[in-house]
Amino acid sequence: MTGPHAAPPPQTLHRGRLRLSLWITLALVGLNLVAFNALLAGWTGMRLDLTQEGIYSITPATKRILAGLDEDVLIHGYFSKRTHPKLAPLIPRIEDLLAEYEAMSRGRVKVTFLDPKEDELAEEEANDRFGVESTPFRLASKYESGIVNAYFALVVQRGDQYVRYGFGDLIDVEMLPDGDLDVKLRNLEYDLTRAIKKVVYGFRSTSELFEQVPGPVRLVAVMTPGALPELLSGIPDAIRTAAAELETRGGDTFEFVEIDPSTDEAQAREVAMRYGARPMSLGLFSSESFYLYGFLEVGESMEQLNLVGEGVTAATLREAVENALRRQAPGFLKTVGVVAPGSDLPPEIMAQLQMQGRSVPPPEFQQVREYLGRDYQVKSVDLAAEDGVPTDVDVLVVIKPRDLDERSVYSLDQYLMRGGRVILCAAPYEPQFSGSELWVMPARTGLEDWLAHFGVTIQDTLVLDDRNQPLPIPEVRRTLLGNIRTLVLKPYPYLVEVRDEGLVNRQITARLEAVGIYWGSPLQVEPPADSGLEVIPILRSSERSWTSQDLTQVQFADYTVPEGETEPQLLAAALSGRFRSYFAEKGAPTGDADLASSEEGAADPPRAEVPLKLSPETRLVVVGDTAFLSDFVARVLAGIQGGFFAENLAFMQNVIDWSTLDNDLVGIRARGLAARRIERLERSTEITLEVINYLVPVLLLGLLAAYRMWLRRNAAPVVVPAAASPPGAGAPARRARA
């Protein structure tokens, strides 16, 4: 039947039903997804991290700390909407991580994000209460160019205690070869977890600080407010504001004194004699002067505060006072004692440089002091002092000891005997740099016999390794314009790269990718059988390492791996247990008077009995290297992308935490520090991979083309069936051919 009321063809009905079924299926799938999403909305702990080491996952240490919170912790994010284009993509990553913290803490961590540029109250709180300041950034685009002051900071707060992270604390900036900048976040999880642990467990309220300090607290401000330059005119009010807040918390224990020496000559002489405060000039050719000094007196001790630096606010002054009180109050922070050489320049040379107005080079190990100062109270220790190592030192780090006398060795021995943890970084060789020249000089530590008493020997040789870090070697190239001096990176076997199986003790090295050992020496650790000491290996070189005593080869990068003579070398190890004193049988060393009489030929005076002969359970860590923590070596290797200095500092901090049995932050600290380097390949492997890269795509395309041709040749002809004729129609329809 034909016409407007004819039934639709069967194919049309089939397609309609198929389309309806498809829409129903899609609707059911969508509803199931919505229901599944609603079901999982309460499961805040579900995450999927596909990276090799889970670098985007919250570590168990952080989860444990967040789960143990019994008070609310506030995290304030101060970020400007109008900021540098390279910083804008980092803000969502910070928000995501803080959302994870909120979820893991089950509401104990409360996060707020504010733009101080749009909220005057928020900006006032950020500046005055937390010391957060904006950072100037240069903007340049086809629409505008100029400088914008933007906020990029985090504050972790509990009660009246807080930790502030500014732009410089959160961001790493690296110059790329093309001149562009690579801006990335530092180890944000470590910073946040460390801050939470500090404000919850490490810090106490300011009121408790005043209760614990040994004596009254007196803040003395020596200043002339009316004579200050405009740049410093706001500092007196900031001092008074900070003093008022401290007086509220300290009560009768705190006293604020403001002195203006410009009105009384006798008072000016008194502050000069007592505090060393003298008038400062407004300029080279100006006759006007002013006073601006701050001093904090705690009992019998006194500490000067910096008032003329950049960013001095009421918040930063209050922080400086509280940090000084923490250093005075016992038990607030772990104390790390550092024994390290100062400046290598003679005193007369340093005096001449100061008189000429030239800067004096900092000590060789200044950066490791500053790095450890983030989490500990760092104190310089003199082993030759009469009282030995102070009793408040929890861990003693001895770096680069040189020709220690018997009294110094005795102080170190007795510190270990009373249960102190000792970390010793020592080596029999010392690298020297002079311009473009490099050589290694022998050195004596003075601890050889003391270490041998416990079965530890730092061997008198150097470790070389085929797995190493390149060294910038100066090279002169001849060109049409003359000789050009350049630096070429060449593999250098004395810069040992310890990674993978070389990181023996993962409880210490945790997530570190690698550690650099520079001009180091191997260890031999065989404690006496009856000592009961446990040997704990920490670092080893690779299987393609060897040793050499030839110091003339350190100036050359060319080397040949001696076949059949390579084996892993022990570079760092620890002894754990109860130690017997080296002086137990010898007796305590004599004093200076006895030494003088002994030198004149008199009989050796009798030695005093050693007070401590056997230690409690403690640990002694020995690293056969000193250059891996040296600022000088770090500057020489600074041009190498992905150097190991940051990892070396993190390794030292891990060892300190492990020595004191505080492993919460060890697994987080090394995240993001190490570069994931591509391993060097053999030349034959490189050629094979290159050939595969060229041939495999061509072969696949050829196979695909052949398969398509085969399909076309073997395709069956398509036959269109004749349309059915209605009854009574004319002649039968003809058969159509393809």
Side-chain angles (χ1 to χ4, degrees), residues 67 118 162 205 331 348 427 448 555 597 600:
E118 298 182 353
Y162 63 89
S205 67
E348 58 273 11
E448 289 81 2
Q555 302 179 9
S597 63
E600 294 173 358

Side-chain angles (χ1 to χ4, degrees), residues 417-729:
M417 290 307 108
R418 68 177 190 238
R421 272 75 170 173
V422 177
I423 301 172
L424 176 62
C425 303
Y429 297 100
E430 178 182 349
Q432 300 284 341
F433 303 94
S434 178
S436 60
E437 295 185 0
L438 162 67
W439 66 92
V440 172
M441 299 293 294
R444 184 181 178 277
T445 66
L447 294 172
E448 289 81 2
D449 295 338
W450 184 75
L451 289 173
H453 172 73
F454 303 121
V456 180
T457 302
I458 304 177
Q459 300 183 35
D460 190 12
T461 184
L462 291 170
V463 176
L464 298 85
D465 200 328
D466 191 37
R467 174 182 282 179
N468 55 65
Q469 179 178 343
L471 181 72
I473 303 294
E475 185 176 275
V476 178
R477 295 183 179 180
R478 295 182 178 180
T479 66
L480 296 176
L481 301 178
N483 294 337
I484 298 178
R485 182 172 179 151
T486 60
L487 291 177
V488 180
L489 294 179
K490 293 186 178 181
Y492 186 65
Y494 296 94
L495 303 182
V496 178
E497 178 182 326
V498 182
R499 61 167 61 245
D500 300 333
E501 68 280 356
L503 304 174
V504 181
N505 193 319
R506 276 295 180 179
Q507 190 178 8
I508 299 176
T509 55
R511 294 179 179 272
L512 285 172
E513 287 286 339
V515 175
I517 297 296
Y518 308 142
W519 299 281
S521 298
L523 304 179
Q524 183 178 352
V525 185
E526 296 178 358
D530 59 347
S531 66
L533 296 175
E534 178 188 2
V535 180
I536 305 174
I538 300 176
L539 300 178
R540 290 186 189 275
S541 59
S542 74
E543 296 181 352
R544 292 182 59 80
S545 65
W546 68 101
T547 61
S548 174
Q549 292 180 318
D550 188 358
L551 303 184
T552 62
Q553 297 299 315
V554 298
Q555 302 179 9
F556 306 100
D558 298 332
Y559 67 94
T560 303
V561 180
E563 298 297 335
E565 301 179 14
T566 60
E567 61 178 347
Q569 306 290 334
L570 182 63
L571 302 175
L575 289 176
S576 180
R578 304 187 67 185
F579 295 79
R580 183 166 181 79
S581 173
Y582 169 70
F583 295 92
E585 307 298 334
K586 299 176 58 175
T590 56
D592 295 338
D594 295 333
L595 284 175
S597 63
S598 177
E599 291 175 357
E600 294 173 358
D604 292 340
R607 293 196 171 204
E609 184 177 355
V610 177
L612 300 175
K613 297 183 179 180
L614 187 65
S615 76
E617 289 285 335
T618 186
R619 289 169 173 176
L620 168 64
V621 180
V622 181
V623 182
D625 188 23
T626 61
F628 78 114
L629 295 175
S630 170
D631 296 359
F632 301 159
V633 176
R635 283 195 290 269
V636 172
L637 304 179
I640 302 177
Q641 185 178 1
F644 294 119
F645 192 64
E647 291 98 316
N648 293 346
L649 295 178
F651 168 73
M652 176 54 62
Q653 198 166 24
N654 285 0
V655 173
I656 292 174
D657 286 344
W658 176 79
S659 300
T660 57
L661 303 178
D662 184 7
N663 298 327
D664 279 342
L665 300 178
V666 170
I668 315 174
R669 182 177 295 118
R671 276 189 167 190
L673 287 178
R676 302 178 66 85
R677 300 173 179 84
I678 299 176
E679 298 290 343
R680 286 188 297 166
L681 301 176
E682 299 291 338
R683 182 58 181 168
S684 57
T685 306
E686 293 180 358
I687 295 175
T688 303
L689 292 176
E690 188 173 0
V691 170
I692 291 175
N693 285 336
Y694 288 128
L695 290 182
V696 169
V698 174
L699 291 176
L700 290 177
L701 289 174
L703 291 174
L704 180 61
Y707 177 68
R708 293 293 300 272
M709 291 179 63
W710 180 83
L711 287 178
R712 294 183 64 181
R713 290 184 177 181
N714 294 275
V718 178
V719 178
V720 179
S725 301

Side-chain angles (χ1 to χ4, degrees), residues 217-280:
V217 179
R218 189 166 180 257
L219 177 60
V220 180
V222 181
M223 56 186 179
T224 53
L228 293 177
E230 184 178 357
L231 183 64
L232 306 175
S233 59
I235 294 181
D237 289 337
I239 296 175
R240 298 184 188 109
T241 302
E245 295 178 5
L246 291 169
E247 192 171 9
T248 302
R249 300 171 185 176
D252 296 336
T253 309
F254 179 81
E255 180 186 3
F256 173 62
V257 179
E258 183 176 337
I259 301 174
D260 186 352
S262 63
T263 59
D264 190 344
E265 293 185 2
Q267 200 171 47
R269 288 194 297 269
E270 182 182 352
V271 297
M273 293 181 60
R274 182 172 182 179
Y275 302 111
R278 301 185 181 277
M280 292 181 280

Side-chain angles (χ1 to χ4, degrees), residues 361-390:
E364 182 179 1
F365 300 98
Q366 183 64 25
Q367 290 193 56
V368 68
R369 294 175 186 269
E370 295 175 357
Y371 189 87
L372 297 179
R374 300 177 183 177
D375 293 304
Y376 317 106
Q377 177 182 343
V378 178
K379 176 182 292 187
S380 296
V381 175
D382 182 9
L383 292 176
E386 184 177 353
D387 297 333
V389 182

